[in-house]
Amino acid sequence: MTEPSKKRVLSGIQPSGNLTIGNYLGALLHWVEDQDLYENYFCVVDLHAITLPQDPQELRQKTREVSALYMAAGLDPQKATIFIQSHIPAHAELAWILTCLSPLGWLNRMTQFKDKAAKQQADSVSAGLLNYPVLMAADILLYQAHGVPVGDDQRQHLELTRDLAQRFNHIYGETFVIPEALIPRAGARVMGLDDPLSKMSKSTAGDYHAVYLLDPPNAARKKIMRATTDSGREIRFSTLPEKAGVNNLLTIYQALTHDSNEAIEASFEGKGYGDLKKAVAEVVIAALEPLQRRYHQLLDEEGYLEQVLADGAERAATLAEKTLKEVKDRVGFLAPAHRWPVNRDC
Ligand code: ATP
Ligand code: LTN
């Protein structure tokens, strides 16, 4: 009996800083856990990273680091196509075509744009930052992905992607699969350890804001032990803003142990915040230790990463070019004429 074909997933992370446990629990961990269920495409989205200023040397270095972390976290290049977004020119080409279908009002409404623009000097906000979700839509639609495993902050961008796909299909005829967001139940929104009312983010400054995937165990422990909590002593999942710190620690714990709310609350019955923090530090360190070991092994193997990325780009290009060709045809672009073969022997 032939196996029914698997649904396809695509996702990406920006090489815009050091990956945090937020990136891991909201995205990467689920890519790895579910890699046997799907046909997998994971890219490092360097074109997205330059929507904010980046140092060229550092961008190159972070791009290698993030691709190595994909594998160190457990993605198997035999099961997942791992590639760099800028290696496939079709992303930028489709993004342009979709930009021409994107009403400005849709883009101006995006909360990530408003948040990121507010942190910049008004005259240095680029058109790229506004168009960011259109490029993301291009990433997803090029591969005809059914599912997009991301954290909760990407929900609105996924809605925009669906709207754009529907708009294109409506104007030009059925072309794109309409993708769905795959958002985890626990860990979809890890908050800053220093400020549990704002999202943990790799580009937010602060020595005690985030645990990074490459933090040594002592650094990770220290940050978790200093996490902001409250003056109470109740260890319960809660949506109250004053309990956000404790709720965040419980969420991190749950995302790594997969235990139920009730079981976790029962296990901390009669214990204090110090005990909770110690327990969270232990599960985080236990998850990071093998990842860090694999990361260093991988970088020691000269040429391995480059080989994986070259294979990934080749596989990604085949699919991306097929979709782009169909899109160009539907939009009405004249196909390039091929030169007559010149026989130099004549
Ligand atoms: P930046 O600060 O550069 O915007 P970021 O840390 O927000 O970066 P992205 O590269 O934008 O990370 O996101 C990569 C993936 O990680 C996305 O799927 C996103 O939803 C997820 N993610 C990012 N931060 C968190 C978080 N705090 N909790 C859960 N998931 C997160
Ligand atoms: N915008 C995403 C990163 C991203 C992405 C994608 C995620 C760019 N292209 C395609 C999923 C699918 C973010 O997490 N900030």
Side-chain angles (χ1 to χ4, degrees):
M1 214 172 71
T2 54
E3 207 189 331
S5 67
K6 290 179 180 173
K7 292 206 166 171
R8 190 175 295 145
V9 291
L10 176 133
S11 197
I13 299 181
Q14 304 179 74
S16 49
N18 298 318
L19 295 207
T20 71
I21 55 168
N23 300 129
Y24 184 68
L25 300 178
L28 197 43
L29 173 65
H30 308 281
W31 305 356
V32 172
E33 283 182 347
D34 293 343
Q35 65 185 320
D36 287 321
L37 303 180
Y38 299 110
E39 187 191 338
N40 307 285
Y41 285 79
F42 297 114
C43 53
V44 179
V45 291
D46 51 354
L47 300 175
H48 276 98
I50 64 161
T51 54
L52 291 175
Q54 303 293 339
D55 172 77
Q57 291 298 343
E58 213 164 302
L59 179 61
R60 227 183 316 276
Q61 156 65 19
K62 290 288 168 211
T63 302
R64 289 192 87 234
E65 188 175 305
V66 176
S67 5
L69 281 170
Y70 282 8
M71 283 185 276
L75 280 185
D76 175 352
Q78 302 293 332
K79 297 179 183 167
T81 298
I82 299 170
F83 66 102
I84 309 294
Q85 185 189 31
S86 68
H87 291 179
I88 313 291
H91 290 245
E93 283 189 77
L94 180 61
W96 174 252
I97 295 169
L98 296 177
T99 298
C100 297
L101 288 185
S102 303
L104 265 182
W106 290 10
L107 302 180
N108 272 318
R109 266 202 298 279
M110 294 290 114
T111 50
Q112 183 184 291
F113 170 68
K114 288 191 272 190
D115 291 349
K116 291 199 171 182
K119 290 188 189 148
Q120 300 275 299
Q121 299 247 335
D123 60 357
S124 63
V125 175
S126 71
L129 194 61
L130 181 70
N131 280 327
Y132 177 113
V134 184
L135 177 60
M136 175 165 164
D139 299 340
I140 298 165
L141 301 179
L142 262 183
Y143 297 89
Q144 307 285 12
H146 304 93
V148 185
V150 282
D152 182 65
D153 60 323
Q154 297 303 309
R155 217 180 263 280
Q156 199 184 27
H157 289 164
L158 250 297
E159 276 307 311
L160 185 110
T161 302
R162 291 166 60 89
D163 290 346
L164 274 174
Q166 268 151 0
R167 197 179 172 99
F168 188 99
N169 287 353
H170 180 72
I171 300 173
Y172 296 109
E174 283 305 308
T175 308
F176 294 125
V177 168
I178 310 296
E180 266 177 53
L182 303 174
I183 295 174
R185 273 192 306 122
R189 196 171 189 83
V190 177
M191 309 307 279
L193 295 174
D194 55 348
D195 171 12
L197 294 176
S198 67
K199 191 192 81 138
M200 182 183 283
S201 190
K202 66 174 118 67
S203 58
T204 298
D207 292 344
Y208 295 92
H209 171 71
V211 171
Y212 300 108
L213 297 188
L214 294 175
D215 270 350
N218 278 342
R221 185 176 291 109
K222 203 160 146 194
K223 290 175 184 181
I224 294 168
M225 295 309 291
R226 283 186 59 149
T228 302
T229 48
D230 57 75
S231 55
R233 40 174 303 120
E234 248 211 325
I235 304 183
R236 297 220 169 278
F237 285 92
S238 166
T239 50
L240 293 174
E242 58 273 26
K243 299 297 290 180
V246 168
N247 190 68
N248 192 36
L249 291 169
L250 287 170
T251 303
I252 295 171
Y253 189 78
Q254 182 169 49
L256 287 168
T257 59
H258 302 292
D259 289 341
S260 68
N261 288 19
E262 298 71 35
I264 293 173
E265 287 174 353
S267 73
F268 288 109
E269 191 74 54
K271 298 201 172 150
Y273 291 170
D275 300 309
L276 170 63
K277 289 176 173 178
K278 266 191 218 142
V280 173
E282 288 322 309
V283 291
V284 168
I285 291 167
L288 297 189
E289 193 270 327
L291 180 149
Q292 295 180 358
R293 198 165 7 92
R294 283 195 295 265
Y295 176 79
H296 294 294
Q297 277 168 356
L298 224 132
L299 289 189
D300 283 348
E301 231 178 293
E302 214 181 296
Y304 178 66
L305 184 61
E306 286 66 25
Q307 191 54 54
V308 169
L309 295 176
D311 289 348
E314 204 172 298
R315 274 185 268 160
T318 311
L319 197 49
E321 279 163 18
K322 179 168 177 283
T323 308
L324 185 66
K325 187 165 179 294
E326 185 181 343
V327 166
K328 285 179 165 175
D329 185 48
R330 288 189 181 268
V331 168
F333 292 162
L334 180 67
H338 292 290
R339 281 177 179 281
W340 289 107
V342 178
N343 188 342
R344 296 194 184 283
D345 297 336
C346 293

